[in-house]
Amino acid sequence: MKPLVNLEGKIGLITGIANEKSISTGVAEACAEAGAKLIVTYQNEKTRAFIEPVIARLGITDAYLLDVTRPETLADVFDRIDATHGKLDFAIHSMAFAKRDDLHGRVVDTSADGFAMAMDISTHSFVRLAKMVEPLFEKTGGGSLVTMTYLGSEKVIANYGVMGLCKAALEAATRYMAYELGAKNIRVNAVSPGPLMTRAASGIAGFDGLMAAAVERSPMHSLVTPEDIGALTAFLVSDAGRLVTGGVHFVDAGYNIMA
């Protein structure tokens, strides 16, 4: 199949691949099909085993350990990228975490420690990633950063709890960093997919109901797939999206417009 966008000659970092069904897997596949050379990360050796099929299928040679709760691993990833490639064209942030009690409980009951952990991993890790990619993007003459968000940032989603606050902050960070980095030809965007079953989504109570509602109420009566998300993300990091920055871009069959 002919790719919708051209990423020939571009080098991209993709985080957050957990298994074959991950959003990041769809993004990696779309970017690889468009011609990009990919660098991927894994959280620990146990999780690496789950992404080996993706690495093998896409012919990825650079897979690095990245645990955002351990700053030294982030620094090591970018030291390796700089030493091996000397530049970077795009980076995908797809990481989020909240303790189960904070995710399913009331926001007013969120513990200070739980709130700090969720915000650090889900939101501030994107800021830290942007800080690290900035000098590598400058060597390229610009670049594109994309993060993954969700409608729970602006609408109340049952059992989404503190993650809704994290995603709202993530979208605000997207706008502010787009403003701050735009003069360096660095674009920052967020993609907001409709509900789809991933390992992360499986931890949200009642998620099957969310997917059923998306099919019933969306104008196109369809669920999004990782491939759909990958297609939009590949466009955003390509030269075709060269003047697109600071936005939250929905790929949800129109579900977000419904009252």
Side-chain angles (χ1 to χ4, degrees):
M1 183 176 67
K2 184 178 180 180
L4 297 176
V5 296
N6 182 10
L7 296 177
E8 292 285 348
K10 293 188 182 296
I11 300 171
L13 171 67
I14 298 182
T15 69
I17 299 178
N19 54 40
E20 291 274 9
K21 296 182 179 180
S22 295
I23 287 174
S24 287
T25 301
V27 173
E29 289 172 341
C31 292
E33 288 174 5
K37 179 175 179 58
L38 301 180
I39 302 159
V40 300
T41 66
Y42 56 94
Q43 186 178 2
N44 52 51
E45 290 303 325
K46 180 180 179 180
T47 59
R48 172 160 183 157
F50 291 102
I51 72 169
E52 282 293 350
V54 179
I55 292 173
R57 186 173 71 253
L58 299 182
I60 295 170
T61 56
D62 298 324
Y64 303 142
L65 172 68
L66 174 58
D67 179 345
V68 293
T69 66
R70 297 166 53 198
E72 70 276 10
T73 66
L74 183 62
D76 181 63
V77 166
F78 282 91
D79 285 345
R80 290 188 177 199
I81 293 173
D82 194 19
T84 304
H85 303 287
K87 68 162 194 169
L88 201 62
D89 295 284
F90 64 89
I92 311 300
H93 173 272
S94 185
M95 295 178 280
F97 176 81
K99 294 180 179 179
R100 184 175 294 271
D101 289 346
D102 294 328
L103 190 64
H104 295 162
R106 302 190 308 166
V107 168
V108 295
D109 295 327
T110 306
S111 66
D113 288 346
F115 182 89
M117 176 183 290
M119 194 66 73
D120 180 73
I121 296 174
S122 308
T123 304
H124 194 259
S125 64
F126 185 44
V127 177
R128 297 198 295 276
L129 185 69
K131 179 68 173 177
M132 298 298 288
V133 301
E134 182 181 2
L136 287 173
F137 280 175
E138 287 186 273
K139 291 182 180 182
T140 314
S144 179
L145 265 169
V146 177
T147 190
M148 298 295 157
T149 185
Y150 181 55
L151 186 61
S153 63
E154 59 181 76
K155 305 293 184 183
V156 175
I157 304 294
N159 301 309
Y160 203 55
V162 70
M163 190 55 66
L165 281 64
C166 293
K167 294 300 188 183
L170 183 69
E171 292 175 12
T174 296
R175 291 186 288 272
Y176 275 88
M177 293 196 298
Y179 165 72
E180 293 170 351
L181 299 174
K184 295 182 177 181
N185 196 32
I186 297 173
R187 296 175 286 116
V188 189
N189 287 286
V191 168
S192 186
L196 74 162
M197 186 52 71
T198 62
R199 189 181 73 173
S202 67
I204 301 174
F207 199 78
D208 287 344
L210 285 177
M211 292 195 297
V215 173
E216 179 183 352
R217 299 186 59 223
S218 65
M220 300 180 74
H221 302 292
S222 180
L223 283 177
V224 69
T225 67
E227 291 76 18
D228 298 324
I229 302 163
L232 174 58
T233 305
F235 163 78
L236 289 172
V237 302
S238 76
D239 292 341
R242 57 191 173 274
L243 288 181
V244 180
T245 194
V248 176
H249 308 279
F250 289 94
V251 53
D252 62 359
Y255 182 67
N256 72 93
I257 70 172
M258 303 305 294

PDB file of all heavy atoms in Angstrom, residues 85-121:
ATOM      1  N   HIS A  85      23.237   8.815  15.678  1.00  0.00           N
ATOM      2  CA  HIS A  85      22.590   9.473  14.542  1.00  0.00           C
ATOM      3  C   HIS A  85      22.911  10.968  14.447  1.00  0.00           C
ATOM      4  O   HIS A  85      22.826  11.540  13.364  1.00  0.00           O
ATOM      5  CB  HIS A  85      21.075   9.290  14.619  1.00  0.00           C
ATOM      6  CG  HIS A  85      20.651   7.850  14.662  1.00  0.00           C
ATOM      7  ND1 HIS A  85      20.705   7.028  13.565  1.00  0.00           N
ATOM      8  CD2 HIS A  85      20.185   7.089  15.699  1.00  0.00           C
ATOM      9  CE1 HIS A  85      20.279   5.816  13.911  1.00  0.00           C
ATOM     10  NE2 HIS A  85      19.965   5.822  15.186  1.00  0.00           N
ATOM     11  N   GLY A  86      23.195  11.579  15.578  1.00  0.00           N
ATOM     12  CA  GLY A  86      23.561  12.991  15.566  1.00  0.00           C
ATOM     13  C   GLY A  86      22.409  13.950  15.338  1.00  0.00           C
ATOM     14  O   GLY A  86      22.601  15.160  15.283  1.00  0.00           O
ATOM     15  N   LYS A  87      21.191  13.424  15.203  1.00  0.00           N
ATOM     16  CA  LYS A  87      20.041  14.284  14.974  1.00  0.00           C
ATOM     17  C   LYS A  87      18.771  13.484  15.240  1.00  0.00           C
ATOM     18  O   LYS A  87      18.811  12.262  15.446  1.00  0.00           O
ATOM     19  CB  LYS A  87      20.011  14.802  13.540  1.00  0.00           C
ATOM     20  CG  LYS A  87      19.728  13.716  12.495  1.00  0.00           C
ATOM     21  CD  LYS A  87      19.287  14.313  11.174  1.00  0.00           C
ATOM     22  CE  LYS A  87      18.674  13.244  10.266  1.00  0.00           C
ATOM     23  NZ  LYS A  87      18.005  13.824   9.100  1.00  0.00           N
ATOM     24  N   LEU A  88      17.639  14.179  15.210  1.00  0.00           N
ATOM     25  CA  LEU A  88      16.333  13.546  15.343  1.00  0.00           C
ATOM     26  C   LEU A  88      15.328  14.440  14.623  1.00  0.00           C
ATOM     27  O   LEU A  88      15.438  15.672  14.666  1.00  0.00           O
ATOM     28  CB  LEU A  88      15.959  13.396  16.819  1.00  0.00           C
ATOM     29  CG  LEU A  88      14.897  12.350  17.185  1.00  0.00           C
ATOM     30  CD1 LEU A  88      15.358  10.941  16.821  1.00  0.00           C
ATOM     31  CD2 LEU A  88      14.580  12.422  18.675  1.00  0.00           C
ATOM     32  N   ASP A  89      14.353  13.823  13.957  1.00  0.00           N
ATOM     33  CA  ASP A  89      13.358  14.592  13.211  1.00  0.00           C
ATOM     34  C   ASP A  89      12.002  14.647  13.909  1.00  0.00           C
ATOM     35  O   ASP A  89      11.258  15.618  13.751  1.00  0.00           O
ATOM     36  CB  ASP A  89      13.165  13.994  11.817  1.00  0.00           C
ATOM     37  CG  ASP A  89      14.418  14.101  10.973  1.00  0.00           C
ATOM     38  OD1 ASP A  89      14.709  15.208  10.486  1.00  0.00           O
ATOM     39  OD2 ASP A  89      15.124  13.081  10.824  1.00  0.00           O
ATOM     40  N   PHE A  90      11.661  13.599  14.641  1.00  0.00           N
ATOM     41  CA  PHE A  90      10.385  13.611  15.358  1.00  0.00           C
ATOM     42  C   PHE A  90      10.444  12.683  16.561  1.00  0.00           C
ATOM     43  O   PHE A  90      11.302  11.792  16.637  1.00  0.00           O
ATOM     44  CB  PHE A  90       9.208  13.247  14.438  1.00  0.00           C
ATOM     45  CG  PHE A  90       9.230  11.847  13.880  1.00  0.00           C
ATOM     46  CD1 PHE A  90       8.640  10.791  14.566  1.00  0.00           C
ATOM     47  CD2 PHE A  90       9.808  11.585  12.641  1.00  0.00           C
ATOM     48  CE1 PHE A  90       8.628   9.504  14.037  1.00  0.00           C
ATOM     49  CE2 PHE A  90       9.798  10.308  12.102  1.00  0.00           C
ATOM     50  CZ  PHE A  90       9.214   9.254  12.803  1.00  0.00           C
ATOM     51  N   ALA A  91       9.540  12.910  17.498  1.00  0.00           N
ATOM     52  CA  ALA A  91       9.467  12.078  18.696  1.00  0.00           C
ATOM     53  C   ALA A  91       8.009  11.949  19.129  1.00  0.00           C
ATOM     54  O   ALA A  91       7.251  12.921  19.088  1.00  0.00           O
ATOM     55  CB  ALA A  91      10.299  12.675  19.833  1.00  0.00           C
ATOM     56  N   ILE A  92       7.629  10.732  19.527  1.00  0.00           N
ATOM     57  CA  ILE A  92       6.265  10.431  19.944  1.00  0.00           C
ATOM     58  C   ILE A  92       6.266  10.089  21.428  1.00  0.00           C
ATOM     59  O   ILE A  92       6.978   9.183  21.867  1.00  0.00           O
ATOM     60  CB  ILE A  92       5.680   9.249  19.156  1.00  0.00           C
ATOM     61  CG1 ILE A  92       5.894   9.435  17.646  1.00  0.00           C
ATOM     62  CG2 ILE A  92       4.208   9.060  19.508  1.00  0.00           C
ATOM     63  CD1 ILE A  92       5.276  10.670  17.058  1.00  0.00           C
ATOM     64  N   HIS A  93       5.450  10.799  22.184  1.00  0.00           N
ATOM     65  CA  HIS A  93       5.292  10.552  23.615  1.00  0.00           C
ATOM     66  C   HIS A  93       3.958   9.843  23.832  1.00  0.00           C
ATOM     67  O   HIS A  93       2.898  10.376  23.512  1.00  0.00           O
ATOM     68  CB  HIS A  93       5.309  11.887  24.368  1.00  0.00           C
ATOM     69  CG  HIS A  93       4.987  11.779  25.831  1.00  0.00           C
ATOM     70  ND1 HIS A  93       3.684  11.839  26.306  1.00  0.00           N
ATOM     71  CD2 HIS A  93       5.781  11.642  26.918  1.00  0.00           C
ATOM     72  CE1 HIS A  93       3.703  11.742  27.617  1.00  0.00           C
ATOM     73  NE2 HIS A  93       4.961  11.615  28.017  1.00  0.00           N
ATOM     74  N   SER A  94       4.010   8.622  24.355  1.00  0.00           N
ATOM     75  CA  SER A  94       2.782   7.864  24.610  1.00  0.00           C
ATOM     76  C   SER A  94       2.939   7.116  25.921  1.00  0.00           C
ATOM     77  O   SER A  94       3.055   5.887  25.947  1.00  0.00           O
ATOM     78  CB  SER A  94       2.507   6.897  23.451  1.00  0.00           C
ATOM     79  OG  SER A  94       1.274   6.235  23.629  1.00  0.00           O
ATOM     80  N   MET A  95       2.943   7.877  27.010  1.00  0.00           N
ATOM     81  CA  MET A  95       3.149   7.303  28.341  1.00  0.00           C
ATOM     82  C   MET A  95       2.164   7.923  29.323  1.00  0.00           C
ATOM     83  O   MET A  95       1.958   9.139  29.314  1.00  0.00           O
ATOM     84  CB  MET A  95       4.579   7.564  28.827  1.00  0.00           C
ATOM     85  CG  MET A  95       5.646   6.865  28.001  1.00  0.00           C
ATOM     86  SD  MET A  95       7.320   7.254  28.570  1.00  0.00           S
ATOM     87  CE  MET A  95       7.560   8.858  27.815  1.00  0.00           C
ATOM     88  N   ALA A  96       1.565   7.076  30.157  1.00  0.00           N
ATOM     89  CA  ALA A  96       0.655   7.575  31.187  1.00  0.00           C
ATOM     90  C   ALA A  96       0.526   6.523  32.275  1.00  0.00           C
ATOM     91  O   ALA A  96       0.595   5.313  32.000  1.00  0.00           O
ATOM     92  CB  ALA A  96      -0.714   7.898  30.600  1.00  0.00           C
ATOM     93  N   PHE A  97       0.335   6.981  33.499  1.00  0.00           N
ATOM     94  CA  PHE A  97       0.146   6.047  34.612  1.00  0.00           C
ATOM     95  C   PHE A  97      -0.531   6.754  35.773  1.00  0.00           C
ATOM     96  O   PHE A  97      -0.227   7.911  36.074  1.00  0.00           O
ATOM     97  CB  PHE A  97       1.486   5.471  35.096  1.00  0.00           C
ATOM     98  CG  PHE A  97       1.337   4.571  36.298  1.00  0.00           C
ATOM     99  CD1 PHE A  97       0.935   3.256  36.130  1.00  0.00           C
ATOM    100  CD2 PHE A  97       1.571   5.057  37.577  1.00  0.00           C
ATOM    101  CE1 PHE A  97       0.770   2.428  37.239  1.00  0.00           C
ATOM    102  CE2 PHE A  97       1.412   4.239  38.693  1.00  0.00           C
ATOM    103  CZ  PHE A  97       1.011   2.912  38.520  1.00  0.00           C
ATOM    104  N   ALA A  98      -1.453   6.052  36.418  1.00  0.00           N
ATOM    105  CA  ALA A  98      -2.036   6.494  37.683  1.00  0.00           C
ATOM    106  C   ALA A  98      -2.333   5.254  38.512  1.00  0.00           C
ATOM    107  O   ALA A  98      -2.668   4.194  37.954  1.00  0.00           O
ATOM    108  CB  ALA A  98      -3.311   7.300  37.457  1.00  0.00           C
ATOM    109  N   LYS A  99      -2.201   5.379  39.808  1.00  0.00           N
ATOM    110  CA  LYS A  99      -2.561   4.266  40.676  1.00  0.00           C
ATOM    111  C   LYS A  99      -4.039   3.935  40.482  1.00  0.00           C
ATOM    112  O   LYS A  99      -4.862   4.815  40.251  1.00  0.00           O
ATOM    113  CB  LYS A  99      -2.297   4.635  42.134  1.00  0.00           C
ATOM    114  CG  LYS A  99      -0.826   4.824  42.472  1.00  0.00           C
ATOM    115  CD  LYS A  99      -0.653   5.191  43.942  1.00  0.00           C
ATOM    116  CE  LYS A  99       0.812   5.369  44.303  1.00  0.00           C
ATOM    117  NZ  LYS A  99       0.987   5.753  45.735  1.00  0.00           N
ATOM    118  N   ARG A 100      -4.377   2.654  40.589  1.00  0.00           N
ATOM    119  CA  ARG A 100      -5.743   2.207  40.324  1.00  0.00           C
ATOM    120  C   ARG A 100      -6.770   2.944  41.190  1.00  0.00           C
ATOM    121  O   ARG A 100      -7.827   3.363  40.707  1.00  0.00           O
ATOM    122  CB  ARG A 100      -5.860   0.696  40.561  1.00  0.00           C
ATOM    123  CG  ARG A 100      -7.230   0.123  40.219  1.00  0.00           C
ATOM    124  CD  ARG A 100      -7.219  -1.390  40.358  1.00  0.00           C
ATOM    125  NE  ARG A 100      -6.345  -2.005  39.373  1.00  0.00           N
ATOM    126  CZ  ARG A 100      -6.753  -2.371  38.166  1.00  0.00           C
ATOM    127  NH1 ARG A 100      -8.004  -2.161  37.786  1.00  0.00           N
ATOM    128  NH2 ARG A 100      -5.924  -2.928  37.328  1.00  0.00           N
ATOM    129  N   ASP A 101      -6.460   3.121  42.458  1.00  0.00           N
ATOM    130  CA  ASP A 101      -7.400   3.800  43.353  1.00  0.00           C
ATOM    131  C   ASP A 101      -7.628   5.243  42.920  1.00  0.00           C
ATOM    132  O   ASP A 101      -8.740   5.772  43.045  1.00  0.00           O
ATOM    133  CB  ASP A 101      -6.900   3.768  44.799  1.00  0.00           C
ATOM    134  CG  ASP A 101      -6.976   2.374  45.411  1.00  0.00           C
ATOM    135  OD1 ASP A 101      -7.654   1.501  44.814  1.00  0.00           O
ATOM    136  OD2 ASP A 101      -6.358   2.160  46.470  1.00  0.00           O
ATOM    137  N   ASP A 102      -6.593   5.900  42.437  1.00  0.00           N
ATOM    138  CA  ASP A 102      -6.721   7.292  41.996  1.00  0.00           C
ATOM    139  C   ASP A 102      -7.437   7.377  40.650  1.00  0.00           C
ATOM    140  O   ASP A 102      -8.120   8.353  40.358  1.00  0.00           O
ATOM    141  CB  ASP A 102      -5.337   7.947  41.888  1.00  0.00           C
ATOM    142  CG  ASP A 102      -4.673   8.085  43.247  1.00  0.00           C
ATOM    143  OD1 ASP A 102      -5.386   8.274  44.248  1.00  0.00           O
ATOM    144  OD2 ASP A 102      -3.430   7.999  43.307  1.00  0.00           O
ATOM    145  N   LEU A 103      -7.286   6.353  39.829  1.00  0.00           N
ATOM    146  CA  LEU A 103      -7.943   6.325  38.530  1.00  0.00           C
ATOM    147  C   LEU A 103      -9.444   6.109  38.684  1.00  0.00           C
ATOM    148  O   LEU A 103     -10.248   6.774  38.031  1.00  0.00           O
ATOM    149  CB  LEU A 103      -7.333   5.216  37.672  1.00  0.00           C
ATOM    150  CG  LEU A 103      -7.713   5.171  36.200  1.00  0.00           C
ATOM    151  CD1 LEU A 103      -7.220   6.413  35.464  1.00  0.00           C
ATOM    152  CD2 LEU A 103      -7.150   3.910  35.548  1.00  0.00           C
ATOM    153  N   HIS A 104      -9.822   5.198  39.559  1.00  0.00           N
ATOM    154  CA  HIS A 104     -11.228   4.834  39.706  1.00  0.00           C
ATOM    155  C   HIS A 104     -11.935   5.606  40.812  1.00  0.00           C
ATOM    156  O   HIS A 104     -13.170   5.620  40.856  1.00  0.00           O
ATOM    157  CB  HIS A 104     -11.354   3.334  39.990  1.00  0.00           C
ATOM    158  CG  HIS A 104     -10.898   2.489  38.845  1.00  0.00           C
ATOM    159  ND1 HIS A 104     -10.585   1.162  38.968  1.00  0.00           N
ATOM    160  CD2 HIS A 104     -10.695   2.798  37.535  1.00  0.00           C
ATOM    161  CE1 HIS A 104     -10.205   0.675  37.788  1.00  0.00           C
ATOM    162  NE2 HIS A 104     -10.252   1.652  36.914  1.00  0.00           N
ATOM    163  N   GLY A 105     -11.169   6.219  41.698  1.00  0.00           N
ATOM    164  CA  GLY A 105     -11.776   6.934  42.814  1.00  0.00           C
ATOM    165  C   GLY A 105     -12.144   8.367  42.470  1.00  0.00           C
ATOM    166  O   GLY A 105     -11.933   8.834  41.347  1.00  0.00           O
ATOM    167  N   ARG A 106     -12.679   9.056  43.468  1.00  0.00           N
ATOM    168  CA  ARG A 106     -13.015  10.463  43.276  1.00  0.00           C
ATOM    169  C   ARG A 106     -11.746  11.308  43.218  1.00  0.00           C
ATOM    170  O   ARG A 106     -10.781  11.043  43.932  1.00  0.00           O
ATOM    171  CB  ARG A 106     -13.890  10.958  44.428  1.00  0.00           C
ATOM    172  CG  ARG A 106     -15.174  10.191  44.626  1.00  0.00           C
ATOM    173  CD  ARG A 106     -16.079  10.900  45.619  1.00  0.00           C
ATOM    174  NE  ARG A 106     -15.396  11.218  46.869  1.00  0.00           N
ATOM    175  CZ  ARG A 106     -15.872  12.061  47.797  1.00  0.00           C
ATOM    176  NH1 ARG A 106     -17.029  12.664  47.616  1.00  0.00           N
ATOM    177  NH2 ARG A 106     -15.192  12.285  48.902  1.00  0.00           N
ATOM    178  N   VAL A 107     -11.785  12.336  42.403  1.00  0.00           N
ATOM    179  CA  VAL A 107     -10.641  13.241  42.317  1.00  0.00           C
ATOM    180  C   VAL A 107     -10.354  13.863  43.669  1.00  0.00           C
ATOM    181  O   VAL A 107      -9.191  14.029  44.063  1.00  0.00           O
ATOM    182  CB  VAL A 107     -10.890  14.327  41.241  1.00  0.00           C
ATOM    183  CG1 VAL A 107      -9.844  15.436  41.344  1.00  0.00           C
ATOM    184  CG2 VAL A 107     -10.850  13.706  39.847  1.00  0.00           C
ATOM    185  N   VAL A 108     -11.403  14.198  44.423  1.00  0.00           N
ATOM    186  CA  VAL A 108     -11.201  14.850  45.725  1.00  0.00           C
ATOM    187  C   VAL A 108     -10.542  13.926  46.738  1.00  0.00           C
ATOM    188  O   VAL A 108     -10.049  14.394  47.776  1.00  0.00           O
ATOM    189  CB  VAL A 108     -12.530  15.393  46.296  1.00  0.00           C
ATOM    190  CG1 VAL A 108     -13.072  16.497  45.414  1.00  0.00           C
ATOM    191  CG2 VAL A 108     -13.560  14.275  46.475  1.00  0.00           C
ATOM    192  N   ASP A 109     -10.518  12.632  46.454  1.00  0.00           N
ATOM    193  CA  ASP A 109      -9.879  11.679  47.364  1.00  0.00           C
ATOM    194  C   ASP A 109      -8.462  11.316  46.933  1.00  0.00           C
ATOM    195  O   ASP A 109      -7.805  10.512  47.595  1.00  0.00           O
ATOM    196  CB  ASP A 109     -10.716  10.395  47.451  1.00  0.00           C
ATOM    197  CG  ASP A 109     -12.082  10.619  48.081  1.00  0.00           C
ATOM    198  OD1 ASP A 109     -12.177  11.487  48.971  1.00  0.00           O
ATOM    199  OD2 ASP A 109     -13.046   9.947  47.672  1.00  0.00           O
ATOM    200  N   THR A 110      -7.990  11.890  45.837  1.00  0.00           N
ATOM    201  CA  THR A 110      -6.657  11.563  45.338  1.00  0.00           C
ATOM    202  C   THR A 110      -5.594  11.940  46.367  1.00  0.00           C
ATOM    203  O   THR A 110      -5.588  13.058  46.890  1.00  0.00           O
ATOM    204  CB  THR A 110      -6.363  12.313  44.031  1.00  0.00           C
ATOM    205  OG1 THR A 110      -7.405  12.051  43.096  1.00  0.00           O
ATOM    206  CG2 THR A 110      -5.031  11.866  43.442  1.00  0.00           C
ATOM    207  N   SER A 111      -4.687  11.022  46.623  1.00  0.00           N
ATOM    208  CA  SER A 111      -3.600  11.318  47.551  1.00  0.00           C
ATOM    209  C   SER A 111      -2.593  12.250  46.899  1.00  0.00           C
ATOM    210  O   SER A 111      -2.471  12.297  45.669  1.00  0.00           O
ATOM    211  CB  SER A 111      -2.900  10.020  47.963  1.00  0.00           C
ATOM    212  OG  SER A 111      -2.239   9.438  46.848  1.00  0.00           O
ATOM    213  N   ALA A 112      -1.877  12.987  47.726  1.00  0.00           N
ATOM    214  CA  ALA A 112      -0.853  13.897  47.190  1.00  0.00           C
ATOM    215  C   ALA A 112       0.220  13.111  46.437  1.00  0.00           C
ATOM    216  O   ALA A 112       0.661  13.509  45.350  1.00  0.00           O
ATOM    217  CB  ALA A 112      -0.227  14.709  48.321  1.00  0.00           C
ATOM    218  N   ASP A 113       0.621  11.982  47.001  1.00  0.00           N
ATOM    219  CA  ASP A 113       1.650  11.164  46.350  1.00  0.00           C
ATOM    220  C   ASP A 113       1.141  10.593  45.034  1.00  0.00           C
ATOM    221  O   ASP A 113       1.862  10.574  44.026  1.00  0.00           O
ATOM    222  CB  ASP A 113       2.086  10.024  47.272  1.00  0.00           C
ATOM    223  CG  ASP A 113       2.921  10.509  48.442  1.00  0.00           C
ATOM    224  OD1 ASP A 113       3.379  11.673  48.403  1.00  0.00           O
ATOM    225  OD2 ASP A 113       3.124   9.726  49.393  1.00  0.00           O
ATOM    226  N   GLY A 114      -0.119  10.117  45.047  1.00  0.00           N
ATOM    227  CA  GLY A 114      -0.698   9.555  43.836  1.00  0.00           C
ATOM    228  C   GLY A 114      -0.857  10.592  42.739  1.00  0.00           C
ATOM    229  O   GLY A 114      -0.603  10.319  41.569  1.00  0.00           O
ATOM    230  N   PHE A 115      -1.281  11.794  43.127  1.00  0.00           N
ATOM    231  CA  PHE A 115      -1.434  12.882  42.159  1.00  0.00           C
ATOM    232  C   PHE A 115      -0.087  13.251  41.559  1.00  0.00           C
ATOM    233  O   PHE A 115       0.041  13.416  40.339  1.00  0.00           O
ATOM    234  CB  PHE A 115      -2.053  14.098  42.847  1.00  0.00           C
ATOM    235  CG  PHE A 115      -2.294  15.254  41.922  1.00  0.00           C
ATOM    236  CD1 PHE A 115      -3.479  15.376  41.218  1.00  0.00           C
ATOM    237  CD2 PHE A 115      -1.327  16.242  41.753  1.00  0.00           C
ATOM    238  CE1 PHE A 115      -3.705  16.440  40.354  1.00  0.00           C
ATOM    239  CE2 PHE A 115      -1.533  17.306  40.894  1.00  0.00           C
ATOM    240  CZ  PHE A 115      -2.726  17.407  40.194  1.00  0.00           C
ATOM    241  N   ALA A 116       0.924  13.366  42.413  1.00  0.00           N
ATOM    242  CA  ALA A 116       2.256  13.749  41.941  1.00  0.00           C
ATOM    243  C   ALA A 116       2.817  12.699  40.986  1.00  0.00           C
ATOM    244  O   ALA A 116       3.408  13.032  39.952  1.00  0.00           O
ATOM    245  CB  ALA A 116       3.194  13.950  43.128  1.00  0.00           C
ATOM    246  N   MET A 117       2.620  11.424  41.316  1.00  0.00           N
ATOM    247  CA  MET A 117       3.127  10.357  40.453  1.00  0.00           C
ATOM    248  C   MET A 117       2.427  10.360  39.099  1.00  0.00           C
ATOM    249  O   MET A 117       3.079  10.273  38.049  1.00  0.00           O
ATOM    250  CB  MET A 117       2.930   8.988  41.117  1.00  0.00           C
ATOM    251  CG  MET A 117       3.343   7.822  40.243  1.00  0.00           C
ATOM    252  SD  MET A 117       3.034   6.213  41.005  1.00  0.00           S
ATOM    253  CE  MET A 117       4.258   6.239  42.313  1.00  0.00           C
ATOM    254  N   ALA A 118       1.100  10.470  39.114  1.00  0.00           N
ATOM    255  CA  ALA A 118       0.347  10.471  37.861  1.00  0.00           C
ATOM    256  C   ALA A 118       0.741  11.657  36.989  1.00  0.00           C
ATOM    257  O   ALA A 118       0.929  11.515  35.774  1.00  0.00           O
ATOM    258  CB  ALA A 118      -1.151  10.502  38.157  1.00  0.00           C
ATOM    259  N   MET A 119       0.875  12.828  37.589  1.00  0.00           N
ATOM    260  CA  MET A 119       1.213  14.026  36.820  1.00  0.00           C
ATOM    261  C   MET A 119       2.650  13.957  36.303  1.00  0.00           C
ATOM    262  O   MET A 119       2.934  14.377  35.171  1.00  0.00           O
ATOM    263  CB  MET A 119       1.021  15.271  37.686  1.00  0.00           C
ATOM    264  CG  MET A 119       1.021  16.568  36.918  1.00  0.00           C
ATOM    265  SD  MET A 119      -0.384  16.763  35.783  1.00  0.00           S
ATOM    266  CE  MET A 119      -1.727  17.070  36.926  1.00  0.00           C
ATOM    267  N   ASP A 120       3.537  13.389  37.105  1.00  0.00           N
ATOM    268  CA  ASP A 120       4.935  13.299  36.680  1.00  0.00           C
ATOM    269  C   ASP A 120       5.093  12.363  35.491  1.00  0.00           C
ATOM    270  O   ASP A 120       5.726  12.718  34.485  1.00  0.00           O
ATOM    271  CB  ASP A 120       5.798  12.798  37.846  1.00  0.00           C
ATOM    272  CG  ASP A 120       7.271  12.697  37.457  1.00  0.00           C
ATOM    273  OD1 ASP A 120       7.913  13.747  37.322  1.00  0.00           O
ATOM    274  OD2 ASP A 120       7.757  11.567  37.267  1.00  0.00           O
ATOM    275  N   ILE A 121       4.512  11.166  35.582  1.00  0.00           N
ATOM    276  CA  ILE A 121       4.688  10.178  34.515  1.00  0.00           C
ATOM    277  C   ILE A 121       3.874  10.533  33.286  1.00  0.00           C
ATOM    278  O   ILE A 121       4.347  10.383  32.148  1.00  0.00           O
ATOM    279  CB  ILE A 121       4.313   8.770  35.031  1.00  0.00           C
ATOM    280  CG1 ILE A 121       5.275   8.341  36.142  1.00  0.00           C
ATOM    281  CG2 ILE A 121       4.315   7.759  33.888  1.00  0.00           C
ATOM    282  CD1 ILE A 121       4.912   7.023  36.813  1.00  0.00           C
TER     283      ILE A 121
END
